[in-house]
Each structure stands twice: as structure tokens, then as C-alpha cells.
Amino acid sequence: MTLTVKETGNFSVPFLELGETYQELKNELTSVFQKVMDSGWYILGEEVSKFEEEFAAYCGVTHCIGVGNGLDALHLILKAYDIGEGDEVIVPSNTFIATWLAVSYVGAKIIPVEPDERTFNIDPHEIEKAITPQTKAIIPVHLYGQPTKMDEINAIAKKYDLHVIEDAAQAHGALYKGKKTGSLGHAAGFSFYPGKNLGAFGDAGAITTNDDILAEKIRMLRNYGSKVKYTHQLKGYNSRLDELQAAFLRVKLRYLDKWNERRVLIANAYLNSISNKNILLPKLDENINHAWHLFVVRTSDRNSLQSYLKSHHIDTLIHYPIPPHLQQAYAERNWKKGSFPISEDIHNEVLSLPIGPHMNEPSVQKIINVVNGYLLDE
């Protein structure tokens, strides 16, 4: 195999420029840092309460509960629903392993369902086939920032009396039929990992819901099972959104829609200008507004494309190289290659191109030019 290289600028394009976010907001972030430090209150204080109010309003729900990270968010939702040993939870076969780990943490059985190859999201037509009397919940993932087909999923869940728990870790601000992710099921888990569209400066997460009873239970579970200090109604956990991170997130939340708009502009430039028979571009469902956390292409020789881009100083990542069912962590299930062939093909072929709110025009144009110059002769 040979590669024909099309020359372009030799400047580097990082995958994501997190430092630029800090520079843009440096004065505001410094101000709230000083405010929190001067307050002398560092756990579950005013900043957490205000962020919870603001993010709930942003998502269009009644409750937001700040927690330690996105994995904890999903875990605590399942725990609050009393899902555990003997129960089954339907999850996408194509997702980051955190979705699966949350189910494992409560002792329930993971039931993977294959994705729609067009969108990478769980295929609603395959969900009903996987339901048994032991099924208690469905966790649809809005993968890469594209909301999944929630109307179909919610209809199935209603038919079988199942909980719908959105994994919205990559979809901050995305819309499905005009409604924000985080408001589309019974509850949702968010991650604020630094690289997310709404990212903290460390680990952080949140749960959104309209269920008053669920919200109260989760608030106790995140805080040692306690509502009143030193009185513990539940066997809880220590998973509390940090006061400093909440303050930073409050600042960044005000910029989220603007940053998402920038991501959309970059994604549209890629979609409209990348034209290469060796590369499959993302496909969008109707009635959605993609958050474009990631811009993921497919190609039959991913390693070749990645090496080619690297030779032109363009950083890329693979989300994700190994599907969950083939990870050593789930070896006890004895899944083999071919168990979930659609997911396996996706994981073997996907490559994420740089996208982010602080990418400049020359970087976007360079990526388009270099990708269009990629030729694979076999």
C-alpha cells in the first residue's frame, strides 16, 4: 500500500486546545476561585447549589444533583432505582466502558445491544428483542454528542415499564426535537471531564431528573447516605461535586451554547468540504441538534489514515479502539470476536478528527486539505 501526500502548511493542529479555554476565561475563573477560597466553605456550598439550579434550568428539568464524575452519576441513578443482583440493564454494545461499569457496580447483568451503523447510537429496533422479565432499565448513550432516538426508546420502556437512563456524558447542550439531553428520559448522567463540551478542571459529574423522590434519594446517596449530618438513612457513597469545580462550571456554562455553535460551524465545514472515497463521514438523524463533542470518521485502514495525519502534524484520537465486550474487564462473560460484529467493525475503523471551540480557520482548512489529499492504494 502507498500513500500519496498532498503538501500543506507544516504548523501543528492539536486534538483539543484546553489551555485556550482557560485563557479566554482566565479573569472570570480567577475571580470565582478567589471567592470560593475566601468563603472558607469547600464542600456542598453555595456554588454547588447555584450550579445545580442553573444546570437544571439549562436542561429543562426540576433537579440537578452534582456528583464526583460521570460514572458515579450513572451508578447512583441505578442504585437509587434499587437495580441490582438478578436484574438486567440494556446498554449499547458500542460505547465507552463507563456505561457498562455503572451496571456492574450495582451487580446487575449487562445486556448489550448493537448500534445503528449510520449514527453509532443504540438501535431501537434491536432493544425490544433483548428485553426479558429481568430487564429493569435501558441506558441509551448520546454518543459523540448526537442524541439517540428517544421517542422510540421511551415507547418501548413504557410498554415494558422500564427506567430510561440517559448517558449524556458527551452531549451537553444537544437537542432532540427541541428538548435538551438530560430531559429526555427518567434521569440522566453527565460527565464534566475536562475535555467535554462543558468541562471542569478535574473530575466532576451531575444527574438530572424530574423525579422528586429519585432526586432526594440520590442527594443522600452521594453524601454517605445522609440528609442530616451524622444521621445516615442509607448505605451511601462519597461522590460530591467539588465546590471549586462547581464555581468553574458556572462560569463555563454561560459560554456553552456559543462554544457549541462554533463546534457546529467546524463540523459543517468538514461535512461540506471533506470529499474522499476512502473516508465515511458522520450521518445525522433528523430532528436533532448534534453537540459535536467528537467528529468521528470511518475508514477501512484507520492506522494508515492516522499515521498520514500525524505526518502532517495533525493530532487524532480513537474513540474507542476496543469494544467493551472484548475488554479483559469482562472476560468472565466469554464474549469472543464476532459476538457484536457491528460494534467491532466500528471500533476497528473510527478515527476522531480535531474539533473544538477554539480551533482557528487555518487549522480547520488544513485538516480538510490533508484529509482530501489522503489516497490509499492497495
Side-chain angles (χ1 to χ4, degrees), residues 62 79 113 127 132 152 179 233 240 251 273 314 342 374:
T62 308
K79 189 72 176 179
V113 167
I127 289 175
T132 74
E152 295 176 44
K179 294 182 65 178
Q233 294 96 323
R240 301 172 298 205
V251 172
S273 300
I314 296 172
I342 297 175
Y374 170 72

Side-chain angles (χ1 to χ4, degrees), residues 216-227 233:
E216 182 178 9
K217 190 171 182 181
I218 290 171
R219 286 193 179 96
M220 288 190 286
L221 285 171
R222 75 169 174 184
N223 189 35
Y224 299 102
S226 173
K227 185 166 25 174
Q233 294 96 323

Side-chain angles (χ1 to χ4, degrees), residues 52-190:
E52 290 175 340
E53 292 174 8
E54 292 161 5
F55 194 63
Y58 179 83
C59 293
V61 296
T62 308
H63 302 282
C64 169
I65 305 99
V67 296
N69 53 68
L71 172 53
D72 283 0
L74 295 176
H75 172 216
L76 293 178
I77 295 169
L78 291 165
K79 189 72 176 179
Y81 276 135
D82 296 319
I83 294 172
E85 294 284 347
D87 297 329
E88 295 177 354
V89 177
I90 291 174
V91 299
S93 55
N94 177 46
T95 185
F96 180 55
I97 199 170
T99 314
W100 287 37
L101 290 174
V103 179
S104 297
Y105 282 5
V106 297
K109 184 178 181 181
I110 291 166
I111 305 297
V113 167
E114 287 272 64
D116 178 339
E117 276 201 273
R118 291 186 326 105
T119 65
F120 305 127
N121 282 332
I122 193 169
D123 188 343
H125 300 104
E126 298 299 316
I127 289 175
E128 194 162 11
K129 301 174 187 176
I131 293 172
T132 74
Q134 286 72 48
T135 307
K136 294 296 184 293
I138 306 167
I139 306 182
V141 179
H142 307 307
L143 197 64
Y144 307 147
Q146 175 160 213
T148 193
K149 295 179 178 178
M150 292 302 296
D151 280 356
E152 295 176 44
I153 292 170
N154 284 330
I156 294 167
K158 185 176 181 180
K159 179 178 177 181
Y160 293 94
D161 193 25
L162 305 176
H163 300 296
V164 177
I165 303 166
E166 298 173 74
D167 183 335
Q170 299 183 357
H172 314 73
L175 297 172
Y176 174 80
K177 297 186 176 180
K179 294 182 65 178
K180 291 265 179 59
T181 54
S183 69
L184 304 172
H186 296 105
F190 284 89

Side-chain angles (χ1 to χ4, degrees), residues 4 15 114 118 160 184 233 284 295 307 314 320 344 363:
T4 302
F15 184 76
E114 287 272 64
R118 291 186 326 105
Y160 293 94
L184 304 172
Q233 294 96 323
L284 276 64
F295 190 94
S307 295
I314 296 172
Y320 302 97
E344 290 171 30
S363 293

Side-chain angles (χ1 to χ4, degrees), residues 197-217:
N197 292 36
L198 179 61
F201 290 89
D203 278 318
I207 293 156
T208 56
T209 185
N210 286 315
D211 187 329
D212 296 343
I213 296 172
L214 182 74
E216 182 178 9
K217 190 171 182 181

